[in-house]
Amino acid sequence: MTLRIGLTGDVMLGRLVDERQRRRPVEAVWGDLLDRLRSSDALFVNLECCLSTRGEPWRRTHRPFHFRADPGWAIPALERAGVDACALANNHVLDFETVGLCDTLDELDDAGIAHAGAGRTLDEALEPAFVTVGDRTIAFVSFTDNTPEYAAAETSPGTAFIEIDVNDAETRSSVSEALCRARRGDPDLVVASLHWGPNMVERPPDSFRRFARWLLDEGVDVVHGHSAHVFHGIEIHDGKPCLYDTGDFVDDYAVDARLRNDRSFLFELTVTVDGRVSELRLLPTEIDDYAVHEATLEAAEWSRARMRELSSEFATAFERDGEELVLTLDG
């Protein structure tokens, strides 16, 4: 039996999204995509906020934005969509200090939603998430190079922070440790989720490409990137997909008229019985009224053309199936 696994970019449920959600049904944040999200055998997102009603905004260093969502609606919303695991290694999970992070961990644990990339100690932050679908196991690891002041230490909470440098000994040690733990679970698929690089850049630097290839050579099956707020092209390395950036899925951010950070995709992987990714489908999405929707015809055409252009730089070419882009991977 094949599996269909959904991946999204940033899911930021705080600030204006949080305010709007208090006056509408919890599933409204998923717009007209709820059924599609629920139809995935497994769904993984980057959770770009903390889930708490407590804590004070981080003031130890300058932070212009602080994102926090009320778990009273946010957890049911994640459950309604069928979210199985959240990447927490990012630059907002500690926006409301340690109490906000610990509440997030507790809320996800209580809901049975797996998570990786942050913890009460560095050891916890490096721990993979495991999601079981039938007789199949998916391992999910999460890292970030954003906001070093949020990094976990041996006895203090924070994120799984690394430098994106294949020659950095500490980076190789941290990533290798997380992957070693993942392999102990005998997974059928390993996903590495990376919140890397600055905002509003259109292409990954060469250092990211080298790092992604190293991950794939080390046994990762899919690289799931995010942070730029705009999607990047997709590269295939040794038959494995690298999604350098999956853009924004839902948020309240100001929209750049040229880069259109309100437009992206739901990325869906088809995984074969032997654990190989055989197909990648991209359904165009668009953010409106602080919710995600299937893209309008004009927005979908723009996103498809942009993805084709960016991916062609990696010699990646898509077919078209209705509104979706489809990439068939060689075995």
Side-chain angles (χ1 to χ4, degrees), residues 15-265:
R15 210 166 54 178
L16 297 179
V17 180
D18 185 57
E19 291 181 18
R20 185 75 173 89
Q21 280 293 114
R22 294 167 192 261
R23 304 190 301 275
R24 64 186 182 186
V26 295
E27 66 269 14
V29 72
W30 310 119
D32 59 2
L33 286 177
L34 182 64
D35 289 343
R36 182 67 175 260
L37 295 172
R38 290 179 60 84
S39 70
S40 296
D41 294 302
L43 181 61
F44 301 89
V45 306
N46 174 54
L47 184 63
E48 185 82 342
C49 62
C50 68
L51 304 179
S52 179
T53 58
R54 305 191 302 157
E56 295 296 325
W58 177 282
R59 302 295 186 201
R60 290 186 249 172
T61 55
H62 174 66
R63 299 285 297 151
F65 306 113
H66 301 88
F67 300 150
R68 175 178 62 178
D70 185 343
W73 72 262
I75 288 291
L78 295 172
E79 291 175 322
R80 298 278 179 89
V83 172
D84 292 283
C86 297
L88 298 182
N90 58 55
N91 57 316
H92 288 290
V93 75
L94 265 166
D95 279 357
F96 283 79
E97 283 284 355
T98 297
V99 66
L101 168 60
C102 291
D103 282 353
T104 303
L105 301 173
D106 289 341
E107 292 287 349
L108 292 172
D109 285 342
D110 288 347
I113 299 173
H115 52 83
R120 290 175 174 82
T121 62
L122 177 59
D123 186 64
E124 285 189 17
L126 294 177
E127 191 64 26
F130 293 97
V131 172
T132 301
V133 183
D135 62 351
R136 244 64 94 66
T137 300
I138 304 165
F140 188 74
V141 299
S142 174
F143 297 95
T144 185
D145 72 339
N146 286 197
T147 317
E149 59 266 41
Y150 282 10
E154 287 188 11
T155 59
S156 61
T159 61
F161 176 85
I162 59 172
E163 298 288 348
I164 306 299
D165 180 356
V166 295
N167 297 314
D168 184 86
E170 191 169 344
T171 290
R172 292 177 71 95
S173 175
S174 294
V175 174
S176 296
E177 172 62 25
L179 293 180
C180 180
R181 296 182 188 185
R183 283 191 286 270
R184 289 175 195 154
D186 193 25
D188 298 277
L189 191 81
V190 179
V191 179
S193 194
L194 303 171
H195 200 69
W196 54 357
N199 298 342
M200 310 309 281
V201 297
E202 301 175 68
R203 293 168 175 82
D206 288 343
S207 60
F208 284 25
R209 294 187 65 185
R210 289 192 296 270
F211 194 80
R213 291 168 179 168
W214 175 69
L215 285 174
L216 296 171
D217 289 341
E218 288 294 303
V220 168
D221 297 295
V222 182
V223 172
H224 170 223
H226 31 84
S227 179
H229 298 309
V230 293
F231 62 80
H232 290 180
I234 293 172
E235 183 172 18
I236 306 301
H237 175 69
D238 197 23
K240 301 176 181 181
C242 179
L243 286 56
Y244 283 107
D245 207 291
T246 47
D248 289 346
F249 197 63
V250 61
D251 57 48
D252 69 348
Y253 304 154
V255 177
D256 185 286
R258 183 179 71 86
L259 296 178
R260 297 311 305 247
N261 50 296
D262 58 334
R263 298 174 178 176
S264 187
F265 300 89

